């Protein structure tokens, strides 16, 4: 049992390291090609930090654990919104940009509502999966077009710009290998632990896997807040949530139709509620910022949800 937990920890480390290497290597290539930092953030960074969820969810699908795949995405979105944004805003209040208020938050809420509606029948079909992936491609396309029309403040550090082509490519290759292998051993260990201590795959997927695979988002957001770039942290979370639903679950459902299994409507309701809470914080309170008081509400909601799962 101790060895299984050790392997699980190693898997998490590999997943997180792989995502970091892949993101850094890809960002360095993009910088060498003179691609806008905004476009890098919307494509490479957003997808890069969501790769752990993608690899674990796809591995779960191939292993026949559909509720683990769905639970991982549902849990990750709840973790991203309530825990990551809660911690970030507790450290320093997070401001909303004009684009967040006009497009991003409502798009994230709409995508969440669409997922809840599709899962209301108890499964995601292959046709729905293909449609979700196509929608994600469309979201990226229009986001890039919108980004080109606006003046974007270039606040992303150029810390990878001195990487050689060889180093950049090696980071990308190592990142993919670490992600795939780390996802496989993490999935095997999590299922083994769940069966041995009597915890359902639903709870493992929503808590342990969701938190572990969201570590890249957590690290990136905390660094952004510490450097005074709260909007970057907010954009990372919103972009990752959209990618989790459209790209990850869409890809998994395209591979094989997904049944909810042990995922409940309460879990879906909490995911919807977290997206709604973010929208309320953005628009209804009038200050266009997640304050420390609101951060406490976010974190309290997450703690109550975890208490409900474990109780």
């Amino acid at each position: 049992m101790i060895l299984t937990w050790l392997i699980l920890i190693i898997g998490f480390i590999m997943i997180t390291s792989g995502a970091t290497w892949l993101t850094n290597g890809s960002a360095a290539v993009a910088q060498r090609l003179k691609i806008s930092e905004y476009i890098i953030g919307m494509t490479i960074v957003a997808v890069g930090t969501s790769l752990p969820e993608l690899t674990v969810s796809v591995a779960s699908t191939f292993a026949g654990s559909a509720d683990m795949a769905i639970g991982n995405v549902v849990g990750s979105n709840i973790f991203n919104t309530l825990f990551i944004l809660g911690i970030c805003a507790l450290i320093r209040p997070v401001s909303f940009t004009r684009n967040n208020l006009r497009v991003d938050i409502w798009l994230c809420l709409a995508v969440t509502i669409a997922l809840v509606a599709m899962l209301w029948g108890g499964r995601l079909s292959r046709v729905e999966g293909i449609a979700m992936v196509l929608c994600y491609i469309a979201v990226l396309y229009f986001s890039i077009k919108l980004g080109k029309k606006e003046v974007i403040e270039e606040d992303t550090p150029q810390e990878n710009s001195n990487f050689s082509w060889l180093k950049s490519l090696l980071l990308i290759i190592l990142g993919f290998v670490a992600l795939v292998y780390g996802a496989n051993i993490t999935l095997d260990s999590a299922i083994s632990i769940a069966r041995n201590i009597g915890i359902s795959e639903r709870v493992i997927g929503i808590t342990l896997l969701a938190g572990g695979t969201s570590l890249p988002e957590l690290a990136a957001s905390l660094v952004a807040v510490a450097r005074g770039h709260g909007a970057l942290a907010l954009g990372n979370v919103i972009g990752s949530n959209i990618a989790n639903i459209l790209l990850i679950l869409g890809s998994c459902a395209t591979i094989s139709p997904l049944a909810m299994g042990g995922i409940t409507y309460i879990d879906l309701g909490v995911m919807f509620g977290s997206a709604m809470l973010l929208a309320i914080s953005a628009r209804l309170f009038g200050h266009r910022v997640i304050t420390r008081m609101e951060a406490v509400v976010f974190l309290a909601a997450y703690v109550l949800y975890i208490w409900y799962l474990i109780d």
Side-chain angles (χ1 to χ4, degrees):
M1 195 65 177
I2 295 177
L3 179 59
T4 304
W5 277 100
L6 181 60
I7 294 174
L8 181 69
I9 294 171
I10 292 173
F12 280 149
I13 293 173
M14 291 186 69
I15 287 173
T16 306
S17 299
T20 301
W21 295 336
L22 180 59
T23 300
N24 288 344
S26 300
V29 169
Q31 288 163 10
R32 281 184 168 274
L33 294 175
K34 307 299 182 183
I35 298 174
S36 165
E37 288 288 346
Y38 172 77
I39 295 177
I40 293 172
M42 284 298 297
T43 55
I44 298 173
V45 176
V47 175
T49 55
S50 292
L51 279 174
E53 288 93 335
L54 176 62
T55 51
V56 169
S57 295
V58 169
S60 299
T61 302
F62 279 118
S65 300
D67 53 348
M68 185 80 80
I70 296 177
N72 183 37
V73 167
V74 170
S76 290
N77 280 21
I78 294 171
F79 183 86
N80 289 349
T81 304
L82 297 181
F83 186 81
I84 293 180
L85 282 183
I87 289 292
C88 288
L90 197 61
I91 296 172
R92 179 177 295 176
V94 176
S95 300
F96 296 97
T97 65
R98 184 176 62 175
N99 201 51
N100 293 150
L101 294 170
R102 289 191 310 172
V103 180
D104 299 336
I105 290 172
W106 305 111
L107 177 60
C108 185
L109 182 59
V111 168
T112 302
I113 293 173
L115 177 62
V116 172
M118 286 186 288
L119 284 175
W120 207 255
R123 61 185 281 117
L124 280 177
S125 68
R126 183 172 279 113
V127 172
E128 289 171 330
I130 294 172
M132 291 164 73
V133 173
L134 292 176
C135 283
Y136 184 70
I137 295 173
V139 166
L140 282 183
Y141 174 75
F142 286 109
S143 295
I144 291 172
K145 284 194 67 176
L146 181 62
K148 288 180 177 179
K149 292 179 181 178
E150 295 185 349
V151 178
I152 305 297
E153 180 183 357
E154 296 288 350
D155 56 9
T156 304
Q158 301 287 323
E159 55 194 23
N160 303 317
S161 58
N162 293 325
F163 286 3
S164 66
W165 279 107
L166 178 60
K167 183 176 181 178
S168 301
L169 294 176
L170 283 176
L171 283 172
I172 291 173
I173 294 171
L174 287 174
F176 272 121
V177 172
L179 277 170
V180 172
Y181 186 70
N184 285 333
I185 65 175
T186 298
L187 176 64
D188 291 342
S189 301
I191 292 176
S192 176
I193 292 171
R195 290 172 178 170
N196 275 290
I197 63 179
I199 297 177
S200 69
E201 290 187 1
R202 162 181 167 261
V203 174
I204 291 292
I206 289 178
T207 57
L208 190 59
L209 281 181
T213 55
S214 291
L215 285 176
E217 286 93 338
L218 177 59
S221 297
L222 287 176
V223 169
V225 168
R227 294 179 178 178
H229 302 308
L232 182 60
L234 180 64
N236 180 38
V237 167
I238 293 175
S240 294
N241 283 358
I242 294 172
N244 286 348
I245 293 174
L246 295 181
L247 177 63
I248 295 175
L249 277 187
S251 299
C252 291
T254 300
I255 295 170
S256 176
L258 301 177
M260 280 181 61
I263 306 303
T264 69
Y265 293 117
I266 292 178
D267 301 324
L268 296 179
V270 173
M271 179 180 66
F272 166 74
S274 65
M276 181 61 74
L277 183 60
L278 180 60
I280 291 173
S281 178
R283 300 298 297 186
L284 296 188
F285 294 156
H287 43 59
R288 298 187 174 186
V289 65
I290 304 178
T291 65
R292 286 190 172 91
M293 183 60 68
E294 291 167 14
V296 172
V297 174
F298 277 48
L299 291 170
Y302 186 73
V303 170
L304 286 174
Y305 176 57
I306 297 301
W307 177 79
Y308 155 76
L309 288 177
I310 297 175
D311 186 48

